[in-house]
Amino acid sequence: MCGFCGVISLKDRPINVDYIKGMCDVIAHRGPDDAGYFIAQTGNQQKKGQSYHHNFTDEQFAHISPLLPKIDSAYSQFELKNEKYDLFLGHRRLAVIDPSPAGHQPMSDKSNNIRLVYNGEIYNFKELRYELECLGYEFKSHTDTEIIIYSYKEWGIDCVKRFNGMFAFAIWDNYKKTLYLARDRYGIKPLYYTILNNGKIIFGSEIKSILEYKEYEKAINLQALNEYFTFQNLFQYETLFKNIFLLPAANIARIDFQNGFKRSCYWDYNFTDRTASLSFDEAKEETGRLLKIAVKRQLIADVPVGSYLSGGMDSGSITSIAAQYIPRLTTFTAGFEVSRLSGIEATFDERETAELIANEFKTEHYEQIINAGDIAWAMPKLIWHLEDLRVGMCYSNYYISRLASKFVKVCLSGSGGDELYGGYPWRYYRVLKSLDRENFFSNYYEFWQRLVPDDQKRELFNYDIYHRIQDNKPYEIFRRVFTFNEHLRYDVPEDHIANSLYFEIKTFLHGLLIVGDKLSMANSLEERFPFLDNDLVDFSMTVPVNHKLKNLESIKRIDENELKRNYKYFREYDGGKNVLREAMKAILPESVTERKKQGFSSPDESWFRGENFEYVKDRLLASNKKIDKYLNKNYIEKIIKEHSEGINHRLLIWSFISFEEWCNQFNM
């Protein structure tokens, strides 16, 4: 796991070399083990088509690549300032597989015509290496990085379809004078880009690298702001920074001097081809078998590997399997100080159940207790690393990854199990009896307006901001998630649930993955996701809906009007992930497999009324706050007052605080 950045100039404007080191330095947290710089004149800006390039390292890492000049040296600066370049690739390395100097990036093939910067892990790289060796290729390292280079040489950019893993990369083909950007199936690893009017395309693992290239003119994206305050997420691939985009998951961008920037999708989820003949027992056995293979596959590393461990079934399943291969597996849990709380929030501390699992599988277990005051301390760091506001109240993610990073470099996560196997049944049942496609969209959109519904946007935004946004844009964005896939069906209740799974894995899970990447890499920690193994994902999509949801037939018989009136029905029929639950009964305690679904939630509803109420007022009711430029302060005051009186607005208050911090951090 690493971080990279780069620039390509498609016109006759050379790269400004004064910015390139800063682009790498600002993501040093993603790669504290090495740094590399490749800068080239591709021949496009030379009358005779002459090309040349240079490689540099940092003073800090000169011992790793002693033959490379240091980028700050007088010699290097002379070379940089006295030539014109149109391509730059920069890299910061977190060494996980083959941590030797042979893994230095940017990496090239033997001819120096194929050049790669890469972030992620290809879990099937050994199988691919064997296949490539049989075809005559030779390797100088034991990294998965080198496998990408020679896979590209053999199969072209379609090589991404062979990779089982998480990745984002940029690969320069000097033969074709073409740069490719690519991102994994699920969007685990981020890749941002912007296209300037002067023909330069700037890209990187984080937005901060783009901001370091000062030719980009920073401005807020008001349409994205409207989207965020609707969904507490961004469903389209824009960001809060105007004209900075996130390359979509399972996408490839081809960039060349003749055709510019062209983007295409190489894969998508498919929950429509469900195997009706698949019995429950067959689904259970195959799910268990594939999960075990996935966990084992993702343990590959030359550094210590641990596992997050909540009290839930997903992380418990992964821990139980990993413990079979790693003696004294290290596990990590975040809990909350809830001794002064009552009601449902008193159950949010999962340490007791996590300790039960840790004891069962004899792990070396560590815990972080989070208190109300920890929010204020974490917020500046959290938003700086998050960059682009996304789903959830994620300060607990920052703390748990910080804890894990003190002991391991790689940590397994249970994310993905809910979205693949139906872990949120109370959401799906809202659309179960939709009459047709448009009725389905309307019903589901009503639920997914997590923060501010459209009919309150006039209250939320200041007058001038409101008249610069498009009222119906969030609904169009929401709808487009579904209409992008022409194979989705809307005929029967099972179709509506399958479409809900499709939507949530494309949006909600993707937002969680972005948050997970940013906050784990803030602590130089690699997260891995066994549930997002290609073989397991491909199989899970074929499992019939009634195998995933235990109470589906009962729900279908409930009167629709009664269901709408009584939210308790949704919780009563909590039979999600049934086939996974049954598969894991062989290895997990019954108290875990039969436990009702509970997300990684913090008790902020109470904290925002009690211990953190002064913090909320200090951040959101101050006279000099920056969000007053965009949001109506009377509406913010109303929300805080309603929350103090018992109406739960914790997500919206968190989002207000996050946006205020974002405006401060990025001077917006």
Side-chain angles (χ1 to χ4, degrees), residues 429 494 546 549-558:
Y429 295 155
E494 286 79 1
N546 63 328
L549 302 179
K550 183 177 182 179
N551 297 302
L552 179 58
E553 293 305 315
S554 300
I555 284 290
K556 286 163 69 174
R557 289 192 294 270
I558 289 176

Side-chain angles (χ1 to χ4, degrees), residues 157-174:
I157 197 58
D158 278 349
C159 64
V160 294
K161 298 176 182 178
R162 294 172 174 260
F163 298 156
N164 190 345
M166 53 181 185
F167 58 85
F169 64 75
I171 192 164
W172 169 250
D173 186 331
N174 195 49

Side-chain angles (χ1 to χ4, degrees), residues 317-331:
S317 301
I318 290 169
T319 295
S320 67
I321 297 168
Q324 298 174 24
Y325 300 100
I326 299 179
R328 195 73 171 157
L329 177 71
T330 314
T331 53

Side-chain angles (χ1 to χ4, degrees), residues 273-283 539 542-547:
D273 294 335
R274 303 182 291 277
T275 307
S277 62
L278 185 70
S279 72
F280 184 86
D281 286 340
E282 288 171 333
F539 174 73
T542 70
V543 175
V545 169
N546 63 328
H547 292 348

Side-chain angles (χ1 to χ4, degrees), residues 341-515:
L341 301 178
S342 60
I344 191 172
E345 286 185 312
T347 68
F348 283 4
D349 185 11
E350 298 185 290
R351 283 177 290 159
E352 183 177 345
T353 313
E355 289 165 4
L356 172 71
I357 300 173
N359 182 63
E360 177 79 17
F361 299 104
K362 304 298 184 289
T363 73
E364 183 175 325
H365 190 60
Y366 296 93
E367 297 177 343
Q368 166 97 42
I369 303 174
I370 298 173
N371 299 286
D374 290 325
I375 302 175
W377 184 88
M379 208 65 181
K381 303 175 185 65
L382 187 149
I383 299 300
W384 170 249
H385 286 289
L386 196 58
E387 306 179 304
D388 197 35
L389 303 182
R390 292 280 170 167
V391 66
M393 306 180 67
C394 52
Y395 62 92
S396 51
N397 300 66
Y398 176 80
Y399 280 113
I400 188 65
S401 61
R402 188 184 68 158
L403 171 65
S405 70
K406 299 179 185 298
F407 300 92
V408 297
K409 257 189 172 181
V410 176
C411 206
L412 304 179
S413 167
S415 295
D418 286 317
E419 291 75 13
L420 288 170
Y421 281 93
Y424 307 105
W426 56 92
R427 295 179 186 171
Y428 322 139
Y429 295 155
R430 295 169 182 271
V431 293
L432 189 68
K433 298 190 177 182
S434 298
L435 301 177
D436 54 29
R437 188 174 81 159
E438 295 307 318
N439 186 232
F440 170 84
F441 292 161
S442 177
N443 289 340
Y444 216 31
Y445 181 68
E446 182 180 349
F447 171 75
W448 277 102
Q449 295 174 83
R450 285 163 61 91
L451 294 185
V452 182
D454 290 341
D455 59 10
Q456 293 182 29
K457 295 291 177 60
R458 191 182 292 270
E459 288 184 78
L460 169 67
F461 291 109
N462 286 338
Y463 178 85
D464 61 325
I465 298 296
Y466 176 76
H467 286 86
R468 290 165 62 189
I469 64 172
Q470 299 175 35
D471 264 355
N472 62 343
K473 188 71 172 177
Y475 180 71
E476 292 176 3
I477 291 167
F478 174 88
R479 197 173 181 277
R480 201 177 302 137
V481 175
F482 299 97
T483 58
F484 171 80
N485 189 327
E486 60 186 19
H487 301 294
L488 299 186
R489 299 191 297 266
Y490 304 84
D491 302 325
V492 296
E494 286 79 1
D495 290 338
H496 300 322
I497 293 176
N499 295 342
S500 300
L501 296 176
Y502 175 82
F503 172 83
E504 296 198 12
I505 205 166
K506 293 269 286 191
T507 59
F508 186 70
L509 178 64
H510 183 260
L512 294 176
L513 294 173
I514 292 294
V515 169

Side-chain angles (χ1 to χ4, degrees), residues 37-138:
Y37 309 82
F38 168 80
I39 192 159
Q41 169 53 248
T42 67
N44 186 59
Q45 296 179 3
Q46 295 285 338
K47 290 181 179 179
K48 296 182 179 180
Q50 182 182 7
S51 63
Y52 48 85
H53 68 266
H54 300 286
N55 288 286
F56 304 102
T57 187
D58 272 351
E59 173 77 36
Q60 179 184 358
F61 304 110
H63 63 287
I64 295 174
S65 303
L67 299 181
L68 291 182
K70 297 179 280 291
I71 195 167
D72 281 336
S73 68
Y75 163 79
S76 299
Q77 288 300 305
F78 177 83
E79 292 292 337
L80 288 170
K81 299 290 178 63
N82 284 276
E83 297 287 355
K84 295 181 178 180
Y85 304 96
D86 58 4
L87 176 66
F88 161 65
L89 301 175
H91 191 263
R92 292 292 306 221
R93 186 184 187 202
L94 181 69
V96 172
I97 293 176
D98 186 2
S100 74
H104 175 83
Q105 296 185 47
M107 185 181 287
S108 69
D109 69 335
K110 290 181 179 179
S111 72
N112 285 322
N113 282 297
I114 308 298
R115 192 80 51 166
L116 173 72
V117 283
Y118 154 62
N119 169 30
E121 304 294 349
I122 307 299
Y123 303 121
N124 63 332
F125 81 95
K126 289 188 175 181
E127 294 94 321
L128 291 169
R129 178 178 176 131
Y130 176 77
E131 189 173 354
L132 290 165
E133 285 176 334
C134 291
L135 291 169
Y137 291 96
E138 297 178 352

